[in-house]
């Protein structure tokens, strides 16, 4: 167990390091940010002056070395735009993203699991066919489109809900639904197919023979076994959700890290981009690590492999 | 298992409940609409902007979104009227004892939001703030000609420049805002950056990062109490979402309506559209830095004859824009009428022939940003089609904005590119910023033009200066230095009951608005 833990923790460090390295060089390919900050009529010497002040005149490997040394100490520098601690700016927005992600995950699980079980139980019924169709649509519909349609219908036409922004529970409903849409479709499909597999297992037949109702058997004995692979799926999606959904946050002007990432990319605010990527990769690795732990707890076979 | 599931559910609900703050909620959509529909005038105006402010410190960051918000908190020494003409603000009058000295008389009895008096010391503090390198003000590059600010007496400030600074009033009108010195000193820059104190019509109330900035009326404002008690700037990055918020009544005013949505919006019952000819110009650079055929003046002239700006305006921009023939827009204080290159395919072909070029052999690249200027990439495609009419082969290259700008700055552009410039309210900044050796934006450089520009910049006499810029404009047109297109039209959509007249400088001066 200890070896397993050590290996996983080490892997996490590697993932975060590689993500930071890749993004560091990729954003620098997009050009020098200095030009975006100065007035267009700024003299060349001024441009050079700011470039050296911000350190962009040095060779890339020097910039990278300095970045890594500072990043290890948790220092991502100051935002070029807001001139405040970059990591601080990201952390400030993390609660909003967490709130939305957890809400969306909760909604997705509450909706998809019952539908998945019922679909498996009443296989090929009208309910099942409807469910399958909807999940295919749910997986195919792009986030931004769903978001805009929801805004238009519930915000503009019906005027039941605010069109965007943060603050109250009512502000959460539309972005939550938008964000949960994809996971609902994925989980439902997955639950349905694993339940159908479980349905053919011997222990279900035994349970059936003991006279319990099929629905109870499926949701009781069946779900427990089906939930093992589901954990991985949930963890993957949760990692994505907690990492901030850029599109949903931008469409709903939700004040989370996804929106911040988008804005700082467009304004070439490199320190904030790097701090955001750092947090996202840490969150993603940690969530997956926890999922693996949980997985190992639920299924002891994993630990010995 | 049942217990575990129930427990999980409870934890989830608790987490979500704990994460949900119940503070500072915008009125629900419906409530707002009802408030606006009733006979009582709403308390608040909500203006949606595409991004957040970056700092509440004045004189620091150049970006438009920051500036329009801060101008409701801080006052300048001189400001502009709705047409862009300079008018007194905190400075009541000014004079030039000599061409390197400016003296300003300051308004009496003005107090900051914290009760401290406004005086010459405060003006000096703010000028010094821009000039001090350690403050890293992005305005500093435009203020390098300012040597120092001297306090003559409580109501008089004298500014000494290193060389004649003929457009200094424009710098004052567009850059300098007055912060309360003791407040900034006591709090330090980092804290003052989120807690502004000025003399303006609105006082700071709350800034919720990434969400909104709320200001409340300064009832003691020297130019009279504002008619609208509360203003909120909301940040909605996505255009469709901004528009939805306007249509649902959550937001009362938005800017930069795309030309192709105007008719649709006009059909909405509760919303009206207002258009203002702006001081921003769009143009096609005919790049002489790139070693291509456009180095030849005759080829540039041919291109100008082959591009039909009227047609582009009518068919691509639905008429929203004002055609330009020279380098300056009509709203510029130095504008002079210049001859137009008429749309004439034969003349274009003739000029190409004279340059020894067969149109069919001419292959040009046209770079364009996508969405930075109204219909920019569509305009590029239309130009491609127009030039194809005389056989010129144009390859349109669409760039992300930051990348586009960086290619221009590094002079890595090829034959032509679409770009914008502005606001262009006085001639020097535009001519110097576009057509001198170190300025990469127009892609044009000519040593004789440069000489003319450098000779005109220090001229202080009004008449003589005007004459100099007239000659420069005509010379640039004769050289076909670039292909000017139009002054952008700024299109606003707002609540039908809101009284707001768009300004040429694109500012939202809420003090001038009412319900």
């Amino acid at each position: 167990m200890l070896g397993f833990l050590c290996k996983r923790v080490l892997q996490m460090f590697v993932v975060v390091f590689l993500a930071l390295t890749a993004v560091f060089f990729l954003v620098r390919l997009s050009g020098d940010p200095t030009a975006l900050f100065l007035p267009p009529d700024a003299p060349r010497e001024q441009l050079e002056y700011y470039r050296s002040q911000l350190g962009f005149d040095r060779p890339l490997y020097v910039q990278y070395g300095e970045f890594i040394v500072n990043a290890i100490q948790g220092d991502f520098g100051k935002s070029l735009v807001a001139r405040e601690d970059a990591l601080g700016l990201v952390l400030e927005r993390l609660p909003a993203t967490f709130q939305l992600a957890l809400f969306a995950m909760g909604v997705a699980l509450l909706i998809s699991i019952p539908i998945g079980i019922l679909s498996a139980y009443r296989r090929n019924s009208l309910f099942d066919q409807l469910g399958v169709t909807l999940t295919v649509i749910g997986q195919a519909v792009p986030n931004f489109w769903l978001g805009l349609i929801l805004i238009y219908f519930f915000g503009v036409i019906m005027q039941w809900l605010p069109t965007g922004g943060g603050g109250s529970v009512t502000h959460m409903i539309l972005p939550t639904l938008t964000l949960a849409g994809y996971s609902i479709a994925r989980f439902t499909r997955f639950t349905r197919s694993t339940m159908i597999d479980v349905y053919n297992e011997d222990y279900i037949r035994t349970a059936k023979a003991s006279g319990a109702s099929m629905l109870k058997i499926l949701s009781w004995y069946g779900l427990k076994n089906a939930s093992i692979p589901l954990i991985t799926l949930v963890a993957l999606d949760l990692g994505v959700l907690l990492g901030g959904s850029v599109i949903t946050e931008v469409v709903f002007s939700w004040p989370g890290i996804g929106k911040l990432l988008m804005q700082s990319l467009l304004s070439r605010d490199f320190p904030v981009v790097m701090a955001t990527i750092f947090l996202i990769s840490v969150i993603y690795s940690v969530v997956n690590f926890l999922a693996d732990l949980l997985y190992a707890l639920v299924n002891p076979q994993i630990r010995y492999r | 298992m049942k217990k575990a599931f129930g427990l999980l559910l409870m934890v989830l609900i608790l987490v979500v409940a704990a994460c949900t703050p119940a503070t500072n909620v915008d009125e629900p959509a419906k409530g707002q609409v009802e408030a606006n529909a009733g006979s009582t005038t709403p308390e608040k105006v909500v203006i949606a902007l595409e991004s957040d402010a970056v700092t509440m410190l004045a004189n620091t960051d150049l970006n438009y979104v920051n500036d329009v918000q801060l101008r409701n908190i801080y006052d300048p020494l001189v400001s502009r009227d709705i047409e862009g003409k300079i008018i007194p603000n905190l400075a009541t009058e000014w004079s030039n004892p000599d061409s390197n000295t400016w003296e300003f008389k300051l308004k009496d009895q003005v107090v900051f939001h914290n009760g401290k008096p406004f005086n010459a010391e405060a003006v000096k503090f703010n000028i010094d703030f821009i000039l001090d390198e350690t403050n890293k003000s992005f305005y500093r590059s435009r203020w390098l000609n300012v040597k120092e600010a001297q306090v003559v007496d409580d109501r008089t400030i004298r500014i000494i420049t290193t060389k004649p600074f003929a457009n200094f009033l424009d710098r004052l009108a567009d850059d300098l805002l007055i912060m309360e010195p003791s407040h900034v000193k006591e709090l330090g820059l980092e804290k003052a950056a989120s807690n502004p104190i000025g003399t303006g019509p609105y006082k700071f109330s709350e800034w919720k990062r990434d969400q909104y900035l709320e200001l409340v009326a300064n009832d003691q404002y020297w130019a009279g109490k504002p008619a609208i008690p509360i203003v909120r700037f909301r940040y909605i990055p996505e255009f469709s979402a901004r528009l939805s918020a306007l249509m649902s009544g959550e937001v009362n005013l938005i800017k930069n309506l795309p030309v192709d949505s105007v008719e649709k919006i006009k059909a909405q019952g509760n919303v009206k559209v207002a258009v203002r000819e702006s001081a921003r110009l769009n143009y096609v650079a005919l790049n002489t830095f790139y070693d291509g055929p456009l180095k030849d003046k005759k080829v540039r002239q041919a291109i100008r004859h082959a591009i039909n700006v009227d047609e582009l305006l009518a068919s691509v921009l639905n008429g929203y824009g004002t055609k330009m023939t020279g380098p300056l827009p009509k709203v510029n204080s130095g504008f002079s009428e210049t001859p137009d290159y008429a749309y004439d395919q034969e003349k274009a072909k003739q000029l190409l022939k004279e340059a020894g070029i067969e149109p069919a052999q001419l292959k040009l690249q046209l770079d364009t940003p996508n969405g930075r200027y109204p219909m920019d990439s569509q305009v590029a495609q239309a130009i491609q089609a127009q030039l194809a009419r005389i056989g010129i082969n144009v390859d349109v290259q669409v760039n992300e904005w930051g990348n586009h700008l960086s290619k221009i700055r590094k002079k890595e552009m090829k034959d032509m590119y679409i770009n914008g410039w502005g606001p262009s309210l006085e001639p020097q900044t535009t001519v110097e910023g576009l057509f001198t050796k170190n300025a990469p934006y127009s892609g044009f450089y000519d040593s004789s033009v440069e000489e003319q520009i450098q000779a005109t910049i220090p001229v202080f006499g009004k008449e003589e200066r005007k004459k100099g810029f007239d000659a420069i404009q005509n010379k640039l047109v004769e050289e076909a230095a670039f292909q000017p297109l139009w002054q952008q039209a700024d299109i606003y959509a707002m609540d039908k009951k809101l009284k707001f007249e768009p300004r040429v400088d694109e500012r939202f001066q809420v003090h001038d608005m009412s319900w």
Side-chain angles (χ1 to χ4, degrees), chain A residues 5-249:
Chain A
L5 275 179
C6 286
K7 208 174 106 192
R8 297 292 308 168
V9 171
L10 203 69
Q11 273 174 1
M12 264 169 55
F13 277 107
V14 174
V15 165
V16 173
F17 173 78
L18 288 179
L20 285 180
T21 304
V23 174
F24 179 91
F25 288 103
L26 280 175
V27 292
R28 267 156 186 81
L29 280 181
S30 68
D32 178 355
T34 329
L36 286 172
F37 299 135
L38 286 181
D41 51 323
R44 182 166 288 260
E45 310 84 66
Q46 278 292 303
L47 206 61
E48 296 303 332
Y49 170 76
Y50 280 101
R51 190 171 288 148
S52 73
Q53 282 274 306
L54 300 172
F56 292 120
D57 57 339
R58 296 167 305 161
L60 212 52
Y61 66 88
V62 177
Q63 293 183 44
Y64 175 70
E66 188 192 75
F67 164 75
I68 288 294
V69 170
N70 289 334
I72 288 170
Q73 299 160 44
D75 175 13
F76 288 85
K78 281 191 169 188
S79 156
L80 304 180
V81 177
R83 295 153 195 225
E84 288 171 48
D85 179 49
L87 193 60
L89 284 174
V90 186
L91 288 172
E92 214 176 275
R93 283 156 178 87
L94 204 56
T97 293
F98 269 40
Q99 188 184 345
L100 194 60
L102 293 175
F103 219 113
M105 184 48 78
V107 167
L109 287 173
L110 285 179
I111 293 180
S112 62
I113 292 180
I115 295 182
I117 295 175
L118 223 62
S119 280
Y121 175 55
R122 296 182 182 271
R123 215 171 144 192
N124 296 329
S125 67
L126 186 67
F127 179 85
D128 181 32
Q129 279 166 357
L130 203 72
V132 170
T133 314
L134 282 178
T135 53
V136 170
I137 294 175
Q139 274 195 295
V141 163
N143 248 356
F144 69 90
W145 186 82
L146 180 62
L148 289 176
I149 291 295
L150 289 176
I151 289 178
Y152 189 67
F153 186 75
F154 292 104
V156 179
I157 295 185
M158 306 311 292
Q159 304 209 343
W160 288 342
L161 294 166
T163 57
S168 70
V169 180
T170 50
H171 285 89
M172 292 200 59
I173 298 174
L174 294 185
T176 302
L177 283 179
T178 307
L179 209 52
Y182 183 71
S183 297
I184 290 175
R186 245 157 79 102
F187 296 168
T188 307
R189 251 172 49 134
F190 198 77
T191 311
R192 178 182 175 275
S193 62
T194 44
M195 288 305 284
I196 287 172
D197 289 344
V198 166
Y199 181 77
N200 296 323
E201 297 286 343
D202 291 344
Y203 58 85
I204 297 292
R205 198 172 47 223
T206 315
K208 249 198 284 190
S210 73
S213 84
M214 195 63 205
L215 192 60
K216 193 184 169 194
I217 294 167
L218 276 180
S219 52
W220 203 238
Y221 303 103
L223 186 63
K224 193 176 170 189
N225 288 287
S227 67
I228 297 170
L230 196 63
I231 289 173
T232 314
L233 202 64
V234 170
L236 278 173
D237 276 19
L238 190 62
V240 172
L241 292 179
L242 289 175
S245 165
V246 174
I247 290 164
T248 307
E249 288 188 5

Side-chain angles (χ1 to χ4, degrees), chain B residues 199-214:
Chain B
T199 59
Y202 284 88
K203 294 192 276 194
F204 175 76
S205 162
E206 189 189 16
W207 182 24
K208 203 132 198 220
R209 217 53 97 75
D210 259 3
Q211 296 190 52
Y212 59 82
L213 169 70
E214 190 160 286

Side-chain angles (χ1 to χ4, degrees), chain B residues 325-479:
Chain B
T325 57
L328 299 182
K330 288 202 175 91
V331 290
N332 192 296
S333 60
F335 171 79
S336 67
E337 202 75 55
T338 48
D340 190 11
Y341 281 78
Y343 177 57
D344 187 339
Q345 299 188 9
E346 288 316 309
K347 190 124 186 231
K349 283 187 207 159
Q350 177 62 30
L351 281 162
L352 284 180
K353 206 169 165 191
E354 284 170 30
I357 291 176
E358 198 54 53
Q361 265 136 37
L362 200 53
K363 285 199 181 10
L364 301 174
Q365 180 167 325
L366 171 60
D367 279 67
T368 177
N370 189 12
R372 172 78 183 181
Y373 307 109
M375 309 299 279
D376 45 16
S377 58
Q378 289 87 342
V379 168
Q381 281 161 22
I383 289 175
Q384 178 185 40
Q386 287 183 346
L387 293 180
R389 286 180 199 157
I390 62 164
I392 298 176
N393 201 324
V394 175
D395 183 21
V396 173
Q397 165 81 41
V398 182
N399 304 316
E400 182 269 332
W401 168 244
N403 203 9
H404 189 76
L405 184 64
S406 146
K407 271 163 89 174
I408 296 176
R409 288 255 195 190
K410 289 183 183 154
K411 299 187 179 173
E412 283 169 1
M413 278 293 182
K414 294 215 165 145
D415 307 290
M416 307 187 284
Y417 51 89
I418 287 185
N419 203 36
W421 179 273
S424 171
L425 290 162
E426 53 84 29
Q428 182 184 326
T429 319
T430 303
V431 166
E432 197 181 12
L434 284 178
F435 304 105
T436 51
K437 192 163 189 189
N438 288 328
Y441 300 100
S442 77
F444 175 82
Y445 169 71
D446 179 273
S447 58
S448 66
V449 175
E450 171 97 24
E451 263 171 45
Q452 231 176 322
I453 294 173
Q454 297 307 345
T456 308
I457 286 173
V459 175
F460 217 71
K462 241 182 175 170
E463 293 285 307
E464 215 185 325
R465 190 172 168 83
K466 172 97 176 73
K467 244 163 119 185
F469 281 114
D470 282 353
I472 292 169
Q473 287 171 70
N474 278 296
K475 171 85 172 160
L476 287 167
V477 170
E478 201 271 319
E479 284 284 333

Side-chain angles (χ1 to χ4, degrees), chain B residues 120-243:
Chain B
E121 280 295 346
V123 179
K124 180 176 165 51
F125 170 81
N126 282 279
I127 293 178
D128 289 348
F129 180 90
I130 291 186
L131 297 179
D132 184 351
E133 276 188 30
T134 55
N135 290 329
K136 292 186 188 156
S137 162
F138 289 131
Y139 287 100
R140 185 169 168 269
S141 66
R142 309 213 277 210
W143 282 67
L144 296 174
N145 290 344
V146 174
K147 196 170 148 206
E148 61 169 329
Q150 301 169 345
V151 175
V152 178
D153 59 50
D154 205 41
R155 305 255 68 85
T156 315
I157 184 96
R158 183 184 295 143
I159 292 153
I160 313 287
T161 60
T162 52
K163 54 184 174 187
F165 199 163
N167 61 343
F168 183 56
L169 283 180
D170 293 278
R171 289 279 61 82
L172 280 186
D174 298 336
D175 299 355
L176 186 72
L177 293 172
I178 306 299
M179 303 184 275
E180 206 280 289
S182 66
H183 174 74
V184 177
K185 284 182 206 157
E186 278 161 27
L187 248 64
L189 288 189
E190 200 144 324
K191 280 199 180 135
S194 55
N195 187 1
I197 299 258
T199 59
Y202 284 88
K203 294 192 276 194
F204 175 76
S205 162
E206 189 189 16
W207 182 24
K208 203 132 198 220
R209 217 53 97 75
D210 259 3
Q211 296 190 52
Y212 59 82
L213 169 70
E214 190 160 286
L215 310 176
V216 292
N218 171 12
D219 292 341
Q220 268 76 52
Y221 189 50
W222 56 268
K225 186 177 157 180
I228 299 177
I230 299 171
V231 50
R232 178 178 279 205
F233 291 98
R234 248 185 78 178
Y235 313 127
I236 309 180
E238 225 283 320
F239 171 73
S240 318
R242 218 153 48 233
L243 191 58

